[in-house]
Amino acid sequence: METIYSKSVPGRRTTGLAPDPVKEGAAAFLPEGCLRKGLPGLPECSELDVVRHFTQLASKNFSVDGNFYPLGSCTMKYDPKINEVAAGLTGFTSLHPMLAQLANGQGCQGAMHVLYTLERSLCAITGMEAFTLQPMAGANGEFTGVAIIAAYHKSLGRDRRIMLIPDAAHGTNPASAAMAGFTVVELPSKDGMIDPEAIRAAIEKYGDSIAGLMMTCPNTLGLMEVHVKEIVELLHGIDALVYYDGANMNAILGKMRVGDAGFDVVHLNLHKTFATPHGGGGPGAGPVGVCERLIPFLPSPRITRKADGSYEFLTDAPQSIGKIGPFYGSFGVLLRAMAYIWRLGGEGLERVAEYAVLNANYMRVKLKDVLDIPYDRLCMHEFVASAPHGLRALDLAKGLLERGFHAPTIYFPLLVHECLMPEPTETESKQTLDAFCDALADIVAKGREHPEELAAAPHGLPVTRMDETEAARGMHLTEDM
Ligand SMILES: *Cc1c(COP(=O)(O)O)cnc(C)c1O
């Protein structure tokens, strides 16, 4: 691919602003030693060269706005453009984050209204008592949540070191627990779900060294956990806490409230369930909700509403785990989530869950004869499948890329052989799902006939088949010019 440097022609310019005020201004006050001796090695291009270059690059970027993106576990749903209108309002974009610190938020009451209303909305949606919006991602929310669990036990003078985590969990769960100082004990799942017997056995073995359990529901296989009540009771029986990884909340919005089911801590991934675009690793937001008895341990500051209706940040919380993120979280993501909730309302949020589950089941049934489906029963918002006939999941994924579809998640969860995990999300039409299923059926049929051709896919894309090991181990980060 051509870089902007390869388009550089010595002396080519766009119409500049003359004279250069920055350079002259800088020369006036910067010490001699700090001034450049020559021009920086920037490409020399016309304005049109630059515009064409970046427009063409942008069109190579794969996004939900361009194509179907069924990346399981990531909830790559469409971001309604009204979210972007809200996030682009100058009243919000021109706010400086330090304003919140000045005069305790007097200069940004509107933004604080958004934050406070979002906290209350998330409480209503999940049935939790209080939320913090500080965490910057799902994993950051997990860390916050387990740190709160640690602080809870510590406040009671207990030494509880063990966190139970099912084997199907997202990798961030054990990582967050380890970062918060816990020893992770893995629970073997049975028939794709948490087995209460495995919890009984762990309680037998570790007794009151157990601080809590982290579970994802629906789980990473796309299955609803059916023993929720029993699991919560078992852990509460030894005063251990139950953490709910809410990354898959889009499957149960308006259908089940985590707080009503007895969970003590939950994180949500606003960039998944509440629609902020999140390809390429950010930005995100992972708010954490807690039950009544954990409120004192929430990160500081917390936002409150005074009797006169104005808002302020409270920092007076002696048992708080402290500050977990800069300022008060990813404001742009929080604002989009609020816009999304306001736009859909309670009824609309419930329909999100219905359509997400309907779409996933439609695809699961339609692909029954194309892929192997290990847990062939009603799924929630996503499902797992195995590549059939000795084909590799990687090859099917690459075959999809050359047909204009983003591949589903592959090789996760680790429990399933040659795993593919499609998550259609609720925003896709039947026609799109049909086109995807037809493409996959065609890839499997052709792959069986000509495996060597499929093993070389994708054809005709800017990046074809890579040596994945070399790409990770022998990274080549500069261009040879
Ligand atoms: C995405 C995800 C996470 C991690 O969230 P990030 O926002 O990517 O840090 C944790 N658990 C599950 C089940 C997830 O799908």
Side-chain angles (χ1 to χ4, degrees), residues 89-148:
L89 292 172
T90 35
F92 291 127
T93 55
S94 63
L95 277 179
H96 192 284
M98 286 306 285
L99 261 185
Q101 255 91 341
L102 293 173
N104 204 354
Q106 283 315 302
C108 54
Q109 286 291 309
M112 289 173 80
H113 176 70
V114 169
L115 296 173
Y116 183 83
T117 313
L118 178 61
E119 280 191 11
R120 296 319 305 162
S121 305
L122 297 181
C123 286
I125 289 168
T126 59
M128 303 308 285
E129 284 301 322
F131 257 87
T132 174
L133 304 178
Q134 273 188 45
M136 308 294 281
N140 198 199
E142 290 169 33
F143 175 73
T144 306
V146 287
I148 288 172

Side-chain angles (χ1 to χ4, degrees), residues 72-75 136-142 168-173 176 215-220 245-248 267-272 278 281 283-286 381-382 412 421 423:
S73 189
C74 295
T75 312
M136 308 294 281
N140 198 199
E142 290 169 33
H170 195 276
T172 49
N173 286 191
S176 304
M215 65 183 274
T216 307
C217 187
N219 68 23
T220 55
D245 178 329
N248 297 336
H267 88 259
L268 304 176
N269 301 55
L270 297 189
H271 45 291
K272 294 180 180 173
H278 58 107
H381 61 300
E382 65 193 4
F412 178 80
M421 181 164 61
E423 176 180 6

